[in-house]
Amino acid sequence: AIDPNFDQNREQAGEENGVAVWGPVEPPEKLGIHGTHVAVDYDICHADGACLENCPVDVFTWVDTPGHPVSETKVEPTNEDQCIDCMLCVDICPVDAIDVDAS
Ligand code: SF4
Ligand code: F3S
């Protein structure tokens, strides 16, 4: 499961599409955690899609991650600033790849 304390335990490695990336990042195998308020661990996400299909405010978009051993697409929390903290994505993800900091 994603580490809910990733922002303390990891260093920010950069940014993609305006979304923070928390390392370590060693593409294509290690892609880090993407997002801060809504965070997706790309190394756990297997592209189930339930988060993207069910988020009421369309926070997520698909991105291609060719060569990643778990899946070659991931969900980026592109519109994380629109999140309404409903926690649906956290509850629905079958591999616990998402953390939402609703505090
Ligand atoms: Fe969307 Fe709710 Fe997840 Fe926020 S907590 S990203 S609103 S499903
Ligand atoms: Fe990935 Fe979980 Fe969404 S596997 S696509 S974060 S439901």
Side-chain angles (χ1 to χ4, degrees):
I2 186 170
D3 173 9
N5 298 316
F6 68 89
D7 53 341
Q8 289 148 46
N9 295 335
R10 293 175 178 235
E11 301 280 324
Q12 188 175 339
E15 217 176 71
E16 264 176 43
N17 306 317
V19 176
V21 180
W22 302 82
V25 176
E26 291 160 33
E29 292 88 5
K30 286 178 78 79
L31 299 175
I33 290 177
H34 292 234
T36 303
H37 181 75
V38 180
V40 180
D41 192 325
Y42 275 26
D43 297 320
I44 297 175
C45 172
H46 67 178
D48 178 88
C51 57
L52 179 144
E53 287 159 21
N54 291 285
C55 174
V57 291
D58 294 335
V59 161
F60 302 101
T61 53
W62 289 116
V63 294
D64 291 330
T65 56
H68 191 270
V70 176
S71 62
E72 298 203 319
T73 57
K74 307 291 177 183
V75 287
E76 175 178 86
T78 315
N79 304 313
E80 63 179 334
D81 55 331
Q82 317 228 330
C83 175
I84 56 170
D85 299 344
C86 72
M87 306 309 270
L88 183 149
C89 59
V90 172
D91 294 339
I92 209 170
C93 176
V95 289
D96 290 333
I98 307 179
D99 180 64
V100 173
D101 181 13
S103 60

Coordinates of all heavy atoms in Angstrom, one line a residue:
A1 N 0.8 -1.2 0.0 CA 0.0 0.0 0.0 C 0.9 1.3 0.0 O 2.0 1.2 0.4 CB -0.9 0.0 1.2
I2 N 0.3 2.3 -0.5 CA 1.0 3.6 -0.5 C 1.4 4.1 1.0 O 0.6 3.8 1.9 CB 0.2 4.7 -1.2 CG1 1.0 6.0 -1.4 CG2 -1.1 4.9 -0.5 CD1 0.3 7.0 -2.3
D3 N 2.5 4.6 1.1 CA 2.9 5.2 2.4 C 2.2 6.5 2.7 O 2.5 7.5 2.0 CB 4.5 5.4 2.4 CG 5.0 6.1 3.7 OD1 4.2 6.2 4.7 OD2 6.2 6.4 3.7
P4 N 1.3 6.6 3.7 CA 0.6 7.8 3.9 C 1.5 9.0 4.4 O 1.1 10.1 4.3 CB -0.4 7.5 5.0 CG 0.1 6.2 5.6 CD 0.9 5.5 4.6
N5 N 2.7 8.6 4.8 CA 3.7 9.7 5.3 C 4.8 9.9 4.2 O 5.9 10.3 4.6 CB 4.3 9.2 6.6 CG 3.3 9.1 7.7 OD1 2.4 10.0 7.8 ND2 3.4 8.0 8.4
F6 N 4.4 9.7 2.9 CA 5.4 9.8 1.9 C 6.0 11.2 1.8 O 7.2 11.3 1.5 CB 4.7 9.5 0.5 CG 3.7 10.5 0.1 CD1 4.1 11.6 -0.6 CD2 2.4 10.4 0.4 CE1 3.2 12.6 -1.0 CE2 1.4 11.3 0.1 CZ 1.8 12.5 -0.7
D7 N 5.3 12.2 2.2 CA 5.8 13.6 2.1 C 6.9 13.8 3.2 O 7.7 14.8 3.0 CB 4.7 14.7 2.1 CG 3.8 14.5 3.3 OD1 3.8 13.4 3.9 OD2 3.1 15.5 3.7
Q8 N 6.9 13.0 4.2 CA 8.1 13.1 5.2 C 9.2 12.1 4.8 O 10.3 12.3 5.1 CB 7.5 12.8 6.6 CG 6.7 13.9 7.1 CD 5.6 13.4 8.1 OE1 5.9 12.5 8.9 NE2 4.4 13.9 7.9
N9 N 8.8 10.9 4.3 CA 9.7 9.9 4.0 C 10.4 9.9 2.7 O 11.4 9.1 2.4 CB 9.0 8.5 4.2 CG 8.5 8.3 5.6 OD1 9.1 8.9 6.6 ND2 7.5 7.5 5.8
R10 N 10.0 10.8 1.8 CA 10.5 10.8 0.5 C 10.9 12.3 0.1 O 10.4 13.2 0.8 CB 9.5 10.4 -0.6 CG 9.2 8.9 -0.5 CD 8.1 8.5 -1.5 NE 7.8 7.1 -1.5 CZ 7.8 6.3 -2.6 NH1 8.1 6.9 -3.8 NH2 7.5 5.1 -2.5
E11 N 11.8 12.4 -0.9 CA 12.2 13.8 -1.4 C 11.4 14.0 -2.6 O 11.2 13.1 -3.4 CB 13.6 13.8 -1.7 CG 14.6 13.4 -0.6 CD 14.8 14.6 0.3 OE1 14.8 15.8 -0.2 OE2 14.9 14.4 1.5
Q12 N 10.9 15.3 -2.8 CA 10.3 15.6 -4.1 C 11.3 15.6 -5.2 O 12.4 16.3 -5.1 CB 9.6 17.0 -4.0 CG 8.8 17.2 -5.2 CD 7.9 18.5 -5.2 OE1 7.7 19.0 -4.1 NE2 7.6 19.0 -6.4
A13 N 11.1 14.8 -6.2 CA 12.1 14.6 -7.3 C 11.8 15.6 -8.4 O 12.7 15.7 -9.3 CB 12.0 13.2 -7.7
G14 N 10.6 16.2 -8.5 CA 10.3 17.0 -9.6 C 8.8 17.2 -9.8 O 8.1 17.1 -8.8
E15 N 8.4 17.5 -11.0 CA 7.0 17.8 -11.3 C 6.7 17.3 -12.7 O 7.5 17.4 -13.6 CB 6.8 19.3 -11.2 CG 5.5 19.7 -10.6 CD 5.4 21.3 -10.5 OE1 5.3 21.9 -11.5 OE2 5.5 21.7 -9.3
E16 N 5.4 16.8 -12.8 CA 5.0 16.4 -14.2 C 3.6 17.0 -14.3 O 2.7 16.7 -13.5 CB 4.9 14.9 -14.3 CG 6.2 14.3 -15.0 CD 6.1 12.8 -15.0 OE1 5.1 12.2 -15.3 OE2 7.2 12.2 -14.7
N17 N 3.4 17.7 -15.4 CA 2.0 18.3 -15.7 C 1.5 19.1 -14.5 O 0.3 19.0 -14.2 CB 1.0 17.2 -16.1 CG 1.5 16.4 -17.2 OD1 2.1 16.9 -18.2 ND2 1.4 15.1 -17.2
G18 N 2.4 19.7 -13.7 CA 2.0 20.5 -12.6 C 1.8 19.7 -11.3 O 1.3 20.2 -10.3
V19 N 2.0 18.4 -11.4 CA 1.8 17.5 -10.3 C 3.2 17.1 -9.7 O 4.1 16.7 -10.4 CB 1.0 16.2 -10.7 CG1 0.9 15.2 -9.6 CG2 -0.3 16.6 -11.3
A20 N 3.3 17.2 -8.4 CA 4.6 16.9 -7.7 C 4.9 15.4 -7.9 O 4.0 14.6 -7.8 CB 4.5 17.2 -6.2
V21 N 6.2 15.1 -8.0 CA 6.6 13.7 -8.1 C 7.6 13.4 -6.9 O 8.6 14.2 -6.8 CB 7.3 13.4 -9.4 CG1 7.8 11.9 -9.5 CG2 6.4 13.6 -10.6
W22 N 7.3 12.4 -6.1 CA 8.1 12.1 -4.9 C 8.9 10.9 -5.2 O 8.4 9.8 -5.6 CB 7.2 11.9 -3.7 CG 6.3 13.1 -3.4 CD1 5.1 13.4 -4.0 CD2 6.6 14.1 -2.5 NE1 4.6 14.6 -3.5 CE2 5.5 15.0 -2.5 CE3 7.6 14.3 -1.6 CZ2 5.4 16.2 -1.7 CZ3 7.5 15.5 -0.7 CH2 6.4 16.4 -0.8
G23 N 10.2 11.0 -5.1 CA 11.1 9.9 -5.5 C 11.2 8.7 -4.5 O 10.5 8.7 -3.5
P24 N 12.1 7.8 -4.8 CA 13.0 7.8 -5.9 C 12.4 7.4 -7.2 O 11.4 6.7 -7.3 CB 14.0 6.6 -5.5 CG 13.2 5.7 -4.6 CD 12.2 6.6 -3.9
V25 N 12.9 8.1 -8.3 CA 12.5 7.8 -9.6 C 13.6 7.3 -10.5 O 14.7 8.0 -10.6 CB 11.9 9.2 -10.2 CG1 11.5 9.0 -11.7 CG2 10.7 9.7 -9.4
E26 N 13.4 6.1 -11.0 CA 14.4 5.5 -11.9 C 13.6 4.9 -13.1 O 13.4 3.7 -13.0 CB 15.3 4.5 -11.2 CG 16.2 5.0 -10.2 CD 16.7 4.0 -9.2 OE1 16.8 2.8 -9.5 OE2 16.9 4.3 -8.0
P27 N 13.2 5.6 -14.1 CA 12.4 5.1 -15.1 C 13.1 4.0 -16.0 O 14.4 4.2 -16.1 CB 12.0 6.3 -16.0 CG 12.9 7.4 -15.5 CD 13.5 7.0 -14.2
P28 N 12.4 3.1 -16.5 CA 11.0 2.9 -16.5 C 10.5 2.1 -15.3 O 9.3 2.0 -15.1 CB 10.7 2.2 -17.8 CG 11.9 1.3 -18.0 CD 13.0 2.1 -17.4
E29 N 11.4 1.6 -14.4 CA 10.9 0.6 -13.4 C 10.4 1.3 -12.2 O 9.4 0.8 -11.6 CB 12.1 -0.3 -13.0 CG 12.6 -1.3 -14.0 CD 13.6 -0.7 -14.9 OE1 14.1 0.5 -14.6 OE2 14.0 -1.3 -15.9
K30 N 11.0 2.5 -11.8 CA 10.5 3.1 -10.5 C 10.1 4.5 -10.9 O 10.9 5.3 -11.4 CB 11.7 3.2 -9.5 CG 12.0 1.9 -8.9 CD 13.2 2.0 -7.9 CE 12.8 2.6 -6.6 NZ 12.2 1.6 -5.7
L31 N 8.8 4.8 -10.6 CA 8.2 6.1 -11.1 C 7.7 7.0 -9.9 O 7.3 8.1 -10.2 CB 7.0 5.8 -12.0 CG 7.4 5.0 -13.3 CD1 6.2 4.7 -14.1 CD2 8.5 5.8 -14.1
G32 N 7.9 6.5 -8.7 CA 7.6 7.3 -7.5 C 6.1 7.5 -7.3 O 5.2 6.9 -7.8
I33 N 5.8 8.5 -6.4 CA 4.5 8.8 -6.0 C 4.1 10.2 -6.6 O 4.9 11.1 -6.6 CB 4.3 8.9 -4.5 CG1 4.4 7.5 -3.9 CG2 3.0 9.6 -4.1 CD1 4.4 7.5 -2.3
H34 N 3.0 10.3 -7.3 CA 2.6 11.5 -8.0 C 1.4 12.1 -7.3 O 0.4 11.5 -7.1 CB 2.2 11.1 -9.5 CG 3.4 10.7 -10.3 ND1 3.7 11.3 -11.5 CD2 4.3 9.7 -10.1 CE1 4.8 10.7 -12.0 NE2 5.2 9.7 -11.1
G35 N 1.6 13.4 -7.0 CA 0.5 14.2 -6.3 C 0.9 14.4 -4.9 O 1.7 13.7 -4.3
T36 N 0.2 15.3 -4.3 CA 0.4 15.6 -2.8 C -0.9 15.5 -2.0 O -1.0 14.7 -1.1 CB 1.0 17.0 -2.7 OG1 2.2 17.1 -3.5 CG2 1.4 17.3 -1.2
H37 N -1.9 16.3 -2.4 CA -3.2 16.2 -1.7 C -3.8 14.8 -2.1 O -4.3 14.1 -1.2 CB -4.1 17.3 -2.0 CG -5.4 17.2 -1.3 ND1 -5.6 17.4 0.1 CD2 -6.6 16.8 -1.7 CE1 -6.8 17.2 0.4 NE2 -7.5 16.8 -0.6
V38 N -3.9 14.6 -3.4 CA -4.3 13.3 -3.9 C -3.0 12.6 -4.5 O -2.4 13.1 -5.4 CB -5.3 13.4 -5.0 CG1 -5.7 12.0 -5.5 CG2 -6.6 14.1 -4.5
A39 N -2.5 11.5 -3.8 CA -1.3 10.9 -4.2 C -1.5 9.5 -4.7 O -2.2 8.7 -4.1 CB -0.3 10.9 -3.0
V40 N -0.8 9.2 -5.8 CA -0.9 7.9 -6.4 C 0.5 7.3 -6.5 O 1.4 7.9 -7.0 CB -1.5 7.9 -7.8 CG1 -1.6 6.5 -8.4 CG2 -2.9 8.6 -7.9
D41 N 0.7 6.1 -5.9 CA 2.0 5.4 -6.0 C 2.0 4.7 -7.3 O 1.3 3.6 -7.5 CB 2.1 4.4 -4.8 CG 3.6 3.9 -4.7 OD1 4.2 3.7 -5.8 OD2 4.0 3.7 -3.6
Y42 N 2.8 5.2 -8.2 CA 2.8 4.6 -9.6 C 3.5 3.2 -9.6 O 3.2 2.5 -10.5 CB 3.6 5.5 -10.5 CG 2.9 6.7 -11.2 CD1 1.7 7.2 -10.6 CD2 3.3 7.2 -12.4 CE1 1.0 8.2 -11.1 CE2 2.6 8.3 -13.0 CZ 1.5 8.8 -12.3 OH 0.8 9.8 -12.9
D43 N 4.2 2.9 -8.6 CA 4.9 1.6 -8.5 C 3.9 0.5 -8.0 O 4.2 -0.7 -8.0 CB 6.2 1.7 -7.7 CG 7.2 2.6 -8.4 OD1 7.2 2.5 -9.7 OD2 7.8 3.4 -7.8
I44 N 2.7 1.0 -7.5 CA 1.7 0.0 -7.0 C 0.5 0.0 -7.9 O -0.1 -1.1 -8.2 CB 1.2 0.4 -5.6 CG1 2.4 0.3 -4.6 CG2 0.1 -0.5 -5.1 CD1 2.1 0.8 -3.2
C45 N 0.1 1.1 -8.5 CA -1.1 1.2 -9.4 C -0.9 0.2 -10.5 O 0.1 0.1 -11.2 CB -1.2 2.6 -10.0 SG -2.4 2.8 -11.3
H46 N -2.0 -0.6 -10.7 CA -2.0 -1.5 -11.9 C -3.0 -1.2 -12.9 O -3.5 -2.1 -13.7 CB -2.0 -3.0 -11.4 CG -3.3 -3.4 -10.8 ND1 -3.6 -4.7 -10.3 CD2 -4.5 -2.7 -10.5 CE1 -4.8 -4.8 -9.8 NE2 -5.4 -3.6 -9.9
A47 N -3.4 0.1 -12.9 CA -4.3 0.6 -13.9 C -5.7 0.0 -13.9 O -6.4 -0.2 -14.9 CB -3.7 0.4 -15.3
D48 N -6.2 -0.3 -12.7 CA -7.6 -0.8 -12.5 C -8.6 0.2 -13.1 O -9.6 -0.3 -13.7 CB -7.8 -1.0 -11.0 CG -9.2 -1.5 -10.7 OD1 -9.4 -2.7 -10.7 OD2 -10.1 -0.6 -10.5
G49 N -8.5 1.4 -12.8 CA -9.3 2.4 -13.5 C -10.5 2.9 -12.6 O -11.2 3.8 -13.0
A50 N -10.8 2.1 -11.6 CA -12.1 2.4 -10.8 C -12.0 3.8 -10.2 O -13.0 4.5 -10.1 CB -12.2 1.4 -9.7
C51 N -10.8 4.3 -9.8 CA -10.7 5.6 -9.3 C -11.1 6.7 -10.3 O -11.9 7.6 -10.0 CB -9.3 5.9 -8.8 SG -8.0 5.6 -10.1
L52 N -10.5 6.6 -11.5 CA -10.8 7.5 -12.6 C -12.3 7.5 -13.0 O -12.9 8.5 -13.2 CB -9.9 7.2 -13.7 CG -10.0 8.1 -15.0 CD1 -8.6 8.2 -15.6 CD2 -10.9 7.4 -16.0
E53 N -12.8 6.3 -13.1 CA -14.2 6.2 -13.5 C -15.2 6.7 -12.5 O -16.3 7.1 -12.9 CB -14.6 4.7 -13.9 CG -13.9 4.2 -15.1 CD -13.8 2.7 -15.2 OE1 -14.5 2.0 -14.5 OE2 -12.9 2.2 -16.0
N54 N -14.9 6.7 -11.2 CA -15.8 7.0 -10.2 C -15.6 8.3 -9.5 O -16.5 8.8 -8.7 CB -15.9 5.8 -9.2 CG -16.5 4.6 -9.8 OD1 -17.7 4.5 -10.0 ND2 -15.7 3.6 -10.2
C55 N -14.5 8.9 -9.7 CA -14.3 10.2 -9.0 C -15.3 11.2 -9.4 O -15.5 11.5 -10.6 CB -12.9 10.8 -9.3 SG -12.6 12.4 -8.7
P56 N -16.1 11.8 -8.5 CA -17.2 12.7 -8.9 C -16.7 14.0 -9.5 O -17.5 14.7 -10.1 CB -17.9 12.9 -7.6 CG -16.9 12.7 -6.5 CD -16.0 11.6 -7.0
V57 N -15.5 14.4 -9.4 CA -15.0 15.7 -9.9 C -13.9 15.5 -10.9 O -13.2 16.5 -11.2 CB -14.6 16.6 -8.7 CG1 -15.9 17.1 -8.0 CG2 -13.6 16.0 -7.8
D58 N -13.7 14.3 -11.4 CA -12.7 14.0 -12.5 C -11.3 14.5 -12.2 O -10.7 15.3 -13.0 CB -13.2 14.7 -13.8 CG -14.5 14.0 -14.3 OD1 -14.7 12.8 -14.0 OD2 -15.2 14.6 -15.0
V59 N -10.8 14.1 -11.0 CA -9.4 14.5 -10.7 C -8.4 13.8 -11.6 O -7.3 14.4 -11.8 CB -9.2 14.1 -9.2 CG1 -7.7 14.0 -8.8 CG2 -9.9 15.2 -8.3
F60 N -8.7 12.6 -12.0 CA -7.6 11.7 -12.6 C -7.7 11.7 -14.1 O -8.7 11.8 -14.8 CB -7.8 10.3 -12.2 CG -7.8 10.1 -10.7 CD1 -9.0 9.9 -9.9 CD2 -6.6 10.1 -10.0 CE1 -9.0 9.8 -8.5 CE2 -6.6 9.9 -8.6 CZ -7.7 9.7 -7.9
T61 N -6.4 11.6 -14.7 CA -6.3 11.3 -16.2 C -5.3 10.2 -16.4 O -4.4 10.0 -15.5 CB -5.8 12.6 -16.9 OG1 -4.6 13.1 -16.3 CG2 -6.9 13.7 -16.9
W62 N -5.5 9.5 -17.5 CA -4.5 8.4 -17.8 C -3.2 9.0 -18.3 O -3.2 9.9 -19.1 CB -5.1 7.5 -18.8 CG -6.2 6.6 -18.4 CD1 -7.5 6.6 -18.8 CD2 -6.1 5.5 -17.4 NE1 -8.3 5.6 -18.2 CE2 -7.4 5.0 -17.3 CE3 -5.1 5.0 -16.6 CZ2 -7.7 3.9 -16.5 CZ3 -5.4 3.9 -15.8 CH2 -6.7 3.4 -15.7
V63 N -2.1 8.4 -17.9 CA -0.8 8.7 -18.5 C -0.1 7.4 -18.9 O -0.4 6.4 -18.3 CB 0.1 9.5 -17.6 CG1 -0.5 10.9 -17.3 CG2 0.4 8.8 -16.3
D64 N 0.7 7.4 -20.0 CA 1.4 6.2 -20.4 C 2.7 6.1 -19.7 O 3.4 7.1 -19.5 CB 1.7 6.4 -21.9 CG 0.4 6.3 -22.8 OD1 -0.5 5.6 -22.3 OD2 0.4 6.9 -23.8
T65 N 3.0 4.9 -19.2 CA 4.2 4.6 -18.5 C 4.8 3.3 -19.1 O 5.0 2.3 -18.5 CB 3.9 4.3 -17.0 OG1 2.9 3.3 -16.9 CG2 3.4 5.6 -16.4
P66 N 5.3 3.4 -20.4 CA 5.8 2.3 -21.1 C 7.0 1.7 -20.4 O 7.9 2.4 -19.9 CB 6.2 2.8 -22.5 CG 6.3 4.3 -22.3 CD 5.3 4.7 -21.2
G67 N 7.0 0.3 -20.3 CA 8.1 -0.4 -19.7 C 8.0 -0.5 -18.2 O 8.8 -1.2 -17.5
H68 N 7.0 0.1 -17.5 CA 6.8 -0.2 -16.1 C 6.3 -1.6 -15.9 O 5.4 -2.1 -16.5 CB 5.8 0.8 -15.4 CG 5.9 0.7 -13.9 ND1 5.1 -0.1 -13.2 CD2 6.7 1.4 -13.1 CE1 5.4 0.0 -11.9 NE2 6.4 0.9 -11.8
P69 N 7.0 -2.3 -14.9 CA 6.7 -3.8 -14.8 C 5.3 -4.1 -14.3 O 4.8 -5.2 -14.5 CB 7.7 -4.2 -13.7 CG 8.3 -3.0 -13.1 CD 8.2 -1.9 -14.1
V70 N 4.6 -3.1 -13.6 CA 3.2 -3.4 -13.1 C 2.2 -3.1 -14.1 O 1.2 -3.9 -14.3 CB 3.0 -2.7 -11.8 CG1 1.6 -2.9 -11.3 CG2 4.0 -3.1 -10.7
S71 N 2.2 -2.0 -14.8 CA 1.3 -1.6 -15.8 C 1.8 -0.5 -16.7 O 2.6 0.3 -16.1 CB -0.1 -1.2 -15.2 OG 0.1 -0.1 -14.4
E72 N 1.4 -0.4 -17.9 CA 2.0 0.6 -18.8 C 1.1 1.8 -19.0 O 1.3 2.6 -19.9 CB 2.3 -0.1 -20.2 CG 3.3 -1.2 -20.0 CD 4.1 -1.5 -21.2 OE1 3.5 -1.6 -22.3 OE2 5.4 -1.7 -21.1
T73 N 0.1 1.9 -18.1 CA -0.6 3.2 -17.9 C -0.9 3.4 -16.4 O -0.9 2.4 -15.6 CB -2.0 3.3 -18.6 OG1 -2.8 2.2 -18.1 CG2 -1.9 3.2 -20.1
K74 N -1.0 4.7 -16.0 CA -1.2 5.0 -14.6 C -2.2 6.1 -14.5 O -2.4 6.8 -15.6 CB 0.1 5.5 -13.9 CG 1.3 4.6 -14.1 CD 1.1 3.3 -13.3 CE 2.3 2.4 -13.5 NZ 2.2 1.1 -12.8
V75 N -2.8 6.4 -13.4 CA -3.7 7.5 -13.2 C -3.0 8.7 -12.5 O -2.4 8.5 -11.4 CB -5.0 7.2 -12.5 CG1 -5.9 6.4 -13.3 CG2 -4.7 6.6 -11.1
E76 N -2.9 9.8 -13.2 CA -2.3 11.0 -12.6 C -3.4 11.8 -12.0 O -4.4 12.1 -12.6 CB -1.6 11.8 -13.8 CG -1.1 13.1 -13.3 CD -0.4 13.8 -14.4 OE1 -1.1 14.6 -15.2 OE2 0.8 13.7 -14.6
P77 N -3.1 12.3 -10.7 CA -4.1 13.2 -10.1 C -4.0 14.6 -10.6 O -3.7 15.6 -9.9 CB -3.8 13.1 -8.6 CG -2.3 12.8 -8.6 CD -2.0 12.0 -9.8
T78 N -4.2 14.8 -11.9 CA -4.0 16.0 -12.6 C -4.7 17.2 -12.0 O -4.2 18.3 -11.9 CB -4.4 15.8 -14.1 OG1 -3.9 14.6 -14.6 CG2 -3.8 17.0 -14.9
N79 N -6.0 16.9 -11.6 CA -6.8 18.0 -11.0 C -7.0 17.8 -9.5 O -8.1 18.0 -9.0 CB -8.2 18.0 -11.8 CG -8.0 18.1 -13.3 OD1 -7.3 19.0 -13.7 ND2 -8.7 17.3 -14.0
E80 N -5.9 17.5 -8.8 CA -6.0 17.3 -7.4 C -6.5 18.4 -6.6 O -7.1 18.3 -5.5 CB -4.7 16.8 -6.8 CG -3.5 17.8 -6.9 CD -2.2 17.2 -6.3 OE1 -2.3 16.4 -5.4 OE2 -1.2 17.7 -6.7
D81 N -6.4 19.6 -7.1 CA -6.9 20.8 -6.4 C -8.4 20.9 -6.4 O -9.0 21.6 -5.6 CB -6.3 22.1 -7.0 CG -6.6 22.2 -8.5 OD1 -6.7 21.2 -9.2 OD2 -6.7 23.3 -9.0
Q82 N -9.1 20.0 -7.2 CA -10.6 20.0 -7.3 C -11.1 19.0 -6.3 O -12.4 18.9 -6.2 CB -11.1 19.7 -8.7 CG -10.3 20.4 -9.7 CD -11.2 21.1 -10.8 OE1 -12.3 20.6 -11.0 NE2 -10.7 22.2 -11.3
C83 N -10.3 18.2 -5.7 CA -10.7 17.1 -4.9 C -11.6 17.5 -3.7 O -11.4 18.6 -3.1 CB -9.5 16.4 -4.3 SG -9.9 15.1 -3.1
I84 N -12.7 16.8 -3.5 CA -13.7 17.2 -2.4 C -13.6 16.2 -1.2 O -14.5 16.2 -0.4 CB -15.1 17.2 -3.0 CG1 -15.5 15.9 -3.6 CG2 -15.3 18.4 -4.0 CD1 -17.0 15.7 -3.9
D85 N -12.5 15.4 -1.2 CA -12.2 14.6 0.0 C -13.3 13.6 0.2 O -13.6 13.2 1.4 CB -12.0 15.4 1.2 CG -10.7 16.3 1.1 OD1 -9.9 16.1 0.1 OD2 -10.6 17.3 1.9
C86 N -13.9 13.0 -0.8 CA -15.0 12.1 -0.6 C -14.4 10.7 -0.2 O -15.2 9.8 0.3 CB -15.9 11.9 -1.8 SG -15.1 11.1 -3.2
M87 N -13.2 10.4 -0.5 CA -12.4 9.2 -0.1 C -12.8 8.0 -1.0 O -12.4 6.9 -0.7 CB -12.5 8.9 1.4 CG -12.1 10.0 2.3 SD -10.5 10.7 1.8 CE -9.4 9.7 2.8
L88 N -13.7 8.2 -2.0 CA -14.1 7.1 -2.8 C -12.9 6.4 -3.4 O -12.8 5.1 -3.4 CB -15.1 7.6 -3.8 CG -15.7 6.6 -4.8 CD1 -17.1 7.0 -5.2 CD2 -14.9 6.3 -6.0
C89 N -12.0 7.1 -4.0 CA -10.9 6.5 -4.7 C -10.0 5.7 -3.8 O -9.5 4.6 -4.1 CB -10.0 7.6 -5.4 SG -9.4 8.8 -4.4
V90 N -9.8 6.2 -2.6 CA -9.0 5.5 -1.6 C -9.6 4.2 -1.2 O -9.0 3.1 -1.1 CB -8.8 6.4 -0.3 CG1 -8.2 5.6 0.8 CG2 -8.1 7.6 -0.6
D91 N -11.0 4.2 -1.1 CA -11.7 3.0 -0.7 C -11.8 2.0 -1.8 O -11.8 0.8 -1.6 CB -13.1 3.3 -0.2 CG -13.1 4.2 1.1 OD1 -12.1 4.1 1.8 OD2 -14.1 4.8 1.4
I92 N -11.9 2.5 -3.0 CA -12.2 1.6 -4.2 C -10.9 0.9 -4.8 O -11.0 -0.1 -5.4 CB -13.0 2.4 -5.2 CG1 -13.9 1.4 -6.0 CG2 -12.1 3.2 -6.2 CD1 -14.9 2.2 -6.9
C93 N -9.8 1.5 -4.6 CA -8.6 1.0 -5.3 C -8.2 -0.4 -4.7 O -8.0 -0.5 -3.5 CB -7.4 1.9 -5.1 SG -5.9 1.2 -5.9
P94 N -8.2 -1.4 -5.6 CA -8.0 -2.8 -5.1 C -6.6 -3.0 -4.5 O -6.3 -4.0 -3.8 CB -8.2 -3.6 -6.3 CG -8.0 -2.7 -7.5 CD -8.4 -1.4 -7.0
V95 N -5.6 -2.1 -4.9 CA -4.2 -2.3 -4.4 C -3.8 -1.2 -3.5 O -2.6 -1.1 -3.2 CB -3.3 -2.5 -5.6 CG1 -3.5 -3.9 -6.2 CG2 -3.4 -1.4 -6.6
D96 N -4.7 -0.4 -3.0 CA -4.4 0.7 -2.0 C -3.2 1.6 -2.5 O -2.3 1.9 -1.8 CB -4.0 0.2 -0.7 CG -5.2 -0.4 0.0 OD1 -6.3 0.0 -0.2 OD2 -5.0 -1.3 0.9
A97 N -3.3 2.0 -3.8 CA -2.3 2.9 -4.4 C -2.5 4.3 -4.1 O -1.6 5.1 -4.5 CB -2.2 2.6 -5.9
I98 N -3.6 4.7 -3.5 CA -4.0 6.2 -3.4 C -4.1 6.6 -2.0 O -4.7 5.9 -1.1 CB -5.3 6.5 -4.1 CG1 -5.3 6.0 -5.6 CG2 -5.7 8.0 -4.1 CD1 -6.6 6.2 -6.3
D99 N -3.5 7.8 -1.7 CA -3.7 8.4 -0.4 C -4.3 9.8 -0.6 O -3.8 10.5 -1.5 CB -2.3 8.5 0.3 CG -2.4 9.2 1.7 OD1 -3.1 8.6 2.6 OD2 -1.9 10.3 1.8
V100 N -5.3 10.1 0.1 CA -5.9 11.5 0.1 C -5.7 12.1 1.5 O -6.2 11.5 2.5 CB -7.4 11.5 -0.3 CG1 -8.0 12.9 -0.2 CG2 -7.5 11.0 -1.8
D101 N -5.1 13.2 1.6 CA -4.8 13.9 2.8 C -6.0 14.8 3.2 O -6.0 16.0 2.8 CB -3.5 14.7 2.8 CG -3.2 15.4 4.1 OD1 -3.9 15.0 5.1 OD2 -2.3 16.2 4.1
A102 N -7.0 14.3 3.8 CA -8.3 15.0 4.0 C -8.2 15.8 5.4 O -9.2 16.4 5.7 CB -9.4 14.0 4.0
S103 N -7.1 15.8 6.1 CA -7.1 16.4 7.4 C -7.1 17.9 7.2 O -6.7 18.5 6.2 CB -5.8 16.0 8.1 OG -4.7 16.4 7.4
Ligands
SF4_1 FE1 -12.0 12.2 -6.4 FE2 -13.1 11.7 -4.0 FE3 -10.7 10.7 -4.6 FE4 -10.9 13.3 -4.2 S1 -11.2 11.7 -2.7 S2 -9.8 12.3 -5.9 S3 -12.9 13.7 -5.0 S4 -12.7 10.2 -5.6
F3S2 FE1 -4.6 2.5 -10.2 FE2 -6.0 1.9 -8.1 FE3 -6.9 3.7 -9.7 S1 -4.9 0.5 -9.4 S2 -6.0 3.1 -11.7 S3 -5.0 3.8 -8.5 S4 -8.1 2.2 -8.7

